[in-house]
Amino acid sequence: MEGCRLVNQREMRKNEHVKLALAQSSLPISDFDRIHFVHHAIPNMNTRDVTMVSQFPDFQLSKALYINAMTGGSDWTLEINQKLAQVAREVGIPMAVGSMHAALNNDAVKQSFAIVRQENPDGEVWANVSADATLEEAKRAIEMIDAAALQIHVNAPQELVMPEGNRNFEHWSASIARIVAGVHVPVIVKEVGFGMSYETIRSLIQCGVTYVDVSGKGGTNFAAIENERRKLKDMSYMQEWGQSTVVSLLEARNLNNRIHILASGGIRNPLDAIKALRLGAEGIGMSRHILQVVQEKGVAVGIDYLNAFHEQMIKIMTLLNVKDIVSLRQSSIVIDDYLKSWIQQRQLY
């Protein structure tokens, strides 16, 4: 009976996370608004000259986009993952599943993750485990969905606000290093919305990591979600914890030649995505926005949304007179005093 209660609690938590995430909205002001491209009035190219392909040593993002980890582990989230997998298949972009620990401990919910591979048999699907996972668990997660890559999510603030969350973290770095060395697919270490610092990324490089998703503050706020789940709701002061995606990309800038940077968290529109690529990201993760579109309007509208997102990124690249992501890095930008002050105080240049 105790095991049944634990399983039910996990399924309830998965559903609560999604419901609370869907209820959140984008911040009216973002650090992306602190960055401005310099407009040059006469491009000397056409939209058909632009490619958004991002080529990595182990995989390719054909549109520089991927659907980031969100959910799985219950009957309701099975339906969500099925829809998202259909969108990823039709748009031709990778999709990461949410944390797979529920399925590693309970065969009854495996299908909520396996459905992604069934709906997208030839696509790029990424597995997902926490930094708590053992090497054996990581291998099982990869095998469960025939994953082309593995995300390891790090979420210390969420765990500490979560009533039933983890309180032990001293083994995380060693666990990450073991998994990186022991699995046969590329490993992407990702935050869940609190951003990454220069020191964190440097330490991950020392663990053998070659891909990170900085996933900064500004998108889904898991500190706020977990505070809503607390009886007293007494940790609301943690809702502003962390660095934005913009600041995280600035933190990573001096390490770009040693590690591949992916960006998610608070990407509101194609212009935000292009700004993230300009700051050093090599791919853009989408989560809550595409989830909201698919849940509210259906799979077909979700497909149209991402295709239009990609087309508008191409239009912005044309306006900037750049044909690819590498050339985009040379585009002139102006940043505001807040970001200048962050750079100065952190002495990252």
Side-chain angles (χ1 to χ4, degrees):
M1 290 295 295
E2 185 64 32
C4 291
R5 281 198 297 271
L6 183 59
V7 169
N8 290 335
Q9 287 171 359
R10 284 173 176 160
E11 291 192 35
M12 288 174 58
R13 185 169 75 231
K14 295 291 185 180
N15 291 343
E16 286 173 353
H17 284 170
V18 175
K19 289 175 182 176
L20 290 167
L22 284 168
Q24 290 185 350
S25 57
S26 296
L27 298 175
I29 301 296
S30 163
D31 277 354
F32 284 107
D33 299 323
R34 301 179 185 274
I35 299 168
H36 305 276
F37 283 108
V38 176
H39 172 60
H40 303 294
I42 306 177
N44 60 12
M45 56 178 285
N46 307 310
T47 55
R48 66 174 178 270
D49 298 324
V50 176
T51 175
M52 295 304 304
V53 173
S54 192
Q55 184 66 55
F56 298 88
D58 301 291
F59 57 89
Q60 175 181 283
L61 302 181
S62 62
K63 294 179 171 65
L65 299 173
Y66 57 99
I67 296 177
N68 217 346
M70 280 181 267
T71 194
S74 69
D75 291 341
W76 183 45
T77 58
L78 182 153
E79 296 176 9
I80 293 173
N81 274 342
Q82 183 175 28
K83 294 174 186 177
L84 292 172
Q86 292 168 358
V87 172
R89 180 189 68 214
E90 296 305 313
V91 178
I93 60 175
M95 173 184 166
V97 301
S99 174
M100 299 175 71
H101 283 267
L104 293 174
N105 295 311
N106 177 18
D107 288 346
V109 298
K110 282 185 177 181
Q111 185 60 17
S112 66
F113 300 98
I115 190 67
V116 175
R117 176 53 75 194
Q118 292 167 10
E119 291 289 339
N120 193 3
D122 301 317
E124 183 98 2
V125 178
W126 299 347
N128 185 306
V129 296
S130 76
D132 264 334
T134 66
L135 174 57
E136 186 269 338
E137 287 173 329
K139 289 180 177 179
R140 285 170 53 205
I142 294 165
E143 182 181 3
M144 192 185 305
I145 58 172
D146 188 23
L150 173 70
Q151 286 186 337
I152 300 176
H153 66 267
V154 291
N155 62 336
Q158 178 189 5
E159 294 287 349
L160 292 169
V161 179
M162 187 190 303
E164 66 275 55
N166 189 10
R167 303 294 185 261
N168 304 306
F169 308 102
E170 64 180 2
H171 61 290
W172 273 16
S173 292
S175 175
I176 290 169
R178 272 194 299 274
I179 293 172
V180 170
V183 299
H184 67 281
V185 299
V187 172
I188 305 162
V189 176
K190 75 173 293 291
E191 243 291 350
V192 301
F194 302 98
M196 287 193 181
S197 66
Y198 173 90
E199 292 87 347
T200 295
I201 299 169
R202 186 178 58 186
S203 72
L204 289 171
I205 293 171
Q206 293 168 351
C207 291
V209 174
T210 54
Y211 300 94
V212 298
D213 180 342
V214 296
S215 193
K217 180 177 69 173
T220 304
N221 188 325
F222 276 102
I225 286 172
E226 297 301 349
N227 187 60
E228 281 299 308
R229 297 181 61 247
R230 295 175 67 86
K231 289 182 179 180
L232 297 179
K233 296 180 174 55
D234 57 349
M235 292 189 73
S236 60
Y237 56 84
M238 291 295 292
Q239 291 177 195
E240 295 304 313
W241 188 268
Q243 289 89 249
S244 68
T245 299
V246 168
V247 169
S248 299
L249 290 169
L250 292 174
E251 291 272 321
R253 187 164 181 171
N254 280 347
L255 299 169
N256 275 11
N257 62 342
R258 299 174 60 191
I259 198 164
H260 296 284
I261 304 293
L262 303 170
S264 61
I267 307 290
R268 303 165 299 176
N269 53 54
L271 182 56
D272 286 352
I274 294 297
K275 288 178 179 180
L277 294 170
R278 167 60 181 84
L279 291 178
E282 298 174 70
I284 302 298
M286 308 287 290
S287 50
R288 192 184 71 235
H289 281 300
I290 185 61
L291 174 62
Q292 289 173 328
V293 170
V294 169
Q295 284 299 96
E296 293 171 8
K297 300 180 180 179
V299 170
V301 177
I303 293 167
D304 290 343
Y305 171 82
L306 284 181
N307 281 331
F309 198 102
H310 173 244
E311 290 169 6
Q312 290 170 32
M313 288 170 69
I314 288 175
K315 291 179 180 179
I316 298 168
M317 294 279 282
T318 305
L319 192 59
L320 292 170
N321 204 39
V322 292
K323 296 182 178 181
D324 54 41
I325 295 170
V326 173
S327 302
L328 174 62
R329 305 270 159 73
Q330 307 306 314
S331 296
S332 302
I333 57 172
V334 175
I335 62 176
D336 77 357
D337 289 342
Y338 168 80
L339 295 179
K340 288 179 183 176
S341 175
W342 185 284
I343 292 167
Q344 285 181 332
Q345 291 187 49
R346 292 285 285 147
Q347 298 180 349
L348 297 175
Y349 292 86

